[in-house]
Amino acid sequence: MEKKRQHLSQNKFLLHWCSTLLLSFLAIFPSTQSFNYGEALSKSLLYFESQRSGHLPHSQRATWRHHSGLTDGLEQGVDLVGGYYDAGDNVKFGLPMAFTITMLSWGVIEYGDEIAGAGEYAHALEAIKWGTDYFIKAHTHPNVLWAEVGDGDTDHYCWQRPEDMTTSRQAYRVDEKNPGSDVAGETAAAMAAASIVFRKTNPHYSHLLLHHAQQLFEFGDRYRGTYDESVRVVKGYYPSVSGFKDELLWAALWLYKATDKEVYLRYVLEKANEFGGITWAISEFSWDVKFAGLQTIASMLLVEEKHRKSETKLVLEQYRSKADYYLCACLNKSNASNVQRTPGGLLYVRQWNNMQYVSNAAFLLTVYSDHLRSSNRQLRCDRGEFGPEEVLKFAKSQVDYILGANPMATSYLVGYGSRYPQRMHHRGGSIESYRRNKGFIGCTQGYDSWFHRKEPNPNVVVGALVGGPDQMDEFSDDRKNFMQTEACTYNTASLVGVLAKLHGLEEDGVFDNPLLASS
């Protein structure tokens, strides 16, 4: 018995040694395999149809889904039908939903031509509008925003398709007495960004979105407070750890981009120090922490002549300094603090749903590489200066890792490639579709009959970007392993713009350039 144990121990050591050697090899010699970014873009936009709540349209392409949440808001006397489920559950959380729409809109603003070139422009606008239509409903009064429908505690007790929900659909709001500056600010940012997207194709709708965005910003700024103190059921799921100041600056900056009104720029400049815009050096960008995105957009204003007045320029340069900090940390070129990487080269922030930070970083790096190119600048880091090609190359390496250039040789974008997660942590995806079986599936029946099954999910949630591997590039395709196999709308939202950019470059033959050719 002892010899057997020794033998197993030696085998385990050899296996670990070989794995380490392989990972080192992969890190030194990146994959040169090519990916179909256009296909990945199409699938990423299809994902949002799987997450729809409400009455589904005839054009619905994720046909395994059906109408759900048709009485949302009824108990409170308000129509809250629509919007998105955030992940593999059936709750509508306002803060991450709004961030999803902000990032989708930003992707279309930056890369609308590339999205159109891939034949996906209409789908991108539909994905945005499904969210903004809901926000219009949820903003029932200038100083009232419905911030959540359902609650995580009762929802997690059940494993049901959204079409069968028996869990609480209570709705929660923020108002003058129960403030929520963060959720109001992010929703304002989402509607302001979307108003830019719809300006040409639907000017009336664009104007309506801008009207709501301005009211929401004023509400959030006048009645300040974090929404998780007013809507306490959200604390265990989407707490506002960063507070509300980043969202107010973020909203003001998006309103400035949408309106060109100086009042919003002055807010961003005058509150820069007090609200942390030029004092927080952050190495993550997420649904909760907006500073890096804010700093990136603010720094890009410096290229415009009207922003070169001495005082304005001084503050914007401070924003740029903090944006550079984030980007340099992602590139591993900072002397202070760099973002950890897995042996296979993936950015690694934390074990729970790490891919959100990867896709967000890839987006900011891609946008900033364009800015560096157009402004003829270099990114200045502690460890040298880096041009737009090097910045974009790293962003591309993160996308390629997602699509399959990784030690597990698996795609983390569900439905893309020949190998991808089959047991995604997703209620609707893991249970026989309503289209095939209209029989009611009860709260615990879903756990008994479907959650614990070893077989792959019956429905493929195409385009979902799952949480991804751990710090050693290891991934367990297990429905119970929600930290790795659950996906969220804001994971994929940021990926859309980057995929569009890479598809456009691929179409133009830019990857023939040896500086960008390898992952």
Side-chain angles (χ1 to χ4, degrees), residues 200-214:
K200 289 183 179 178
T201 60
N202 195 340
H204 173 74
Y205 189 67
S206 172
H207 180 76
L208 177 63
L209 291 175
L210 199 52
H211 174 69
H212 280 279
Q214 289 171 315

Side-chain angles (χ1 to χ4, degrees), residues 292-480:
L294 160 76
Q295 292 154 352
T296 299
I297 296 176
S299 67
M300 293 192 293
L301 295 178
L302 281 163
V303 298
E304 299 177 38
E305 185 65 39
K306 63 181 178 180
H307 297 131
R308 291 178 187 164
K309 299 171 187 175
S310 58
E311 290 183 11
T312 300
K313 183 182 178 185
L314 179 65
V315 179
L316 291 179
E317 282 177 341
Q318 290 176 283
Y319 271 111
R320 182 166 70 185
S321 171
K322 294 301 185 287
D324 288 355
Y325 176 94
Y326 171 82
L327 297 160
C328 293
C330 289
L331 292 170
N332 198 33
K333 302 300 180 183
S334 171
N335 287 339
S337 177
N338 291 303
V339 180
Q340 182 184 342
R341 294 188 193 179
T342 67
L346 183 73
L347 290 171
Y348 189 80
V349 176
R350 55 180 59 92
Q351 63 177 355
W352 197 306
N353 189 23
N354 182 63
M355 279 301 187
Q356 64 174 307
Y357 308 108
V358 178
S359 62
N360 288 337
F363 182 83
L364 292 189
L365 287 160
T366 301
V367 168
Y368 211 74
S369 73
D370 287 342
H371 168 66
L372 292 174
R373 185 176 293 104
S374 63
S375 59
N376 197 28
R377 278 191 65 242
Q378 300 270 57
L379 175 63
R380 294 176 181 173
C381 300
D382 295 332
R383 301 180 189 176
E385 295 189 355
F386 304 91
E389 289 82 10
E390 292 161 291
V391 176
L392 181 61
K393 182 179 178 180
F394 182 68
K396 179 178 179 292
S397 76
Q398 299 302 289
V399 174
D400 288 352
Y401 186 109
I402 288 170
L403 297 182
N406 57 66
M408 296 290 288
T410 189
S411 164
Y412 293 107
L413 190 73
V414 176
Y416 178 88
S418 59
R419 184 180 179 190
Y420 52 82
Q422 301 288 319
R423 296 162 190 83
M424 184 179 160
H425 183 94
H426 191 281
R427 284 160 175 74
S430 67
I431 302 174
E432 189 175 20
S433 75
Y434 187 81
R435 180 176 287 270
R436 290 193 61 182
N437 176 9
K438 292 182 171 58
F440 175 74
I441 296 172
C443 175
T444 56
Q445 183 187 350
Y447 276 113
D448 296 339
S449 303
W450 297 96
F451 179 76
H452 297 292
R453 286 162 61 100
K454 299 296 183 186
E455 291 81 6
N457 288 352
N459 309 305
V460 180
V461 188
V462 175
L465 177 57
V466 297
D470 65 16
Q471 68 270 30
M472 293 304 296
D473 297 294
E474 294 176 355
F475 179 81
S476 173
D477 186 10
D478 186 333
R479 214 168 283 119
K480 296 187 290 292

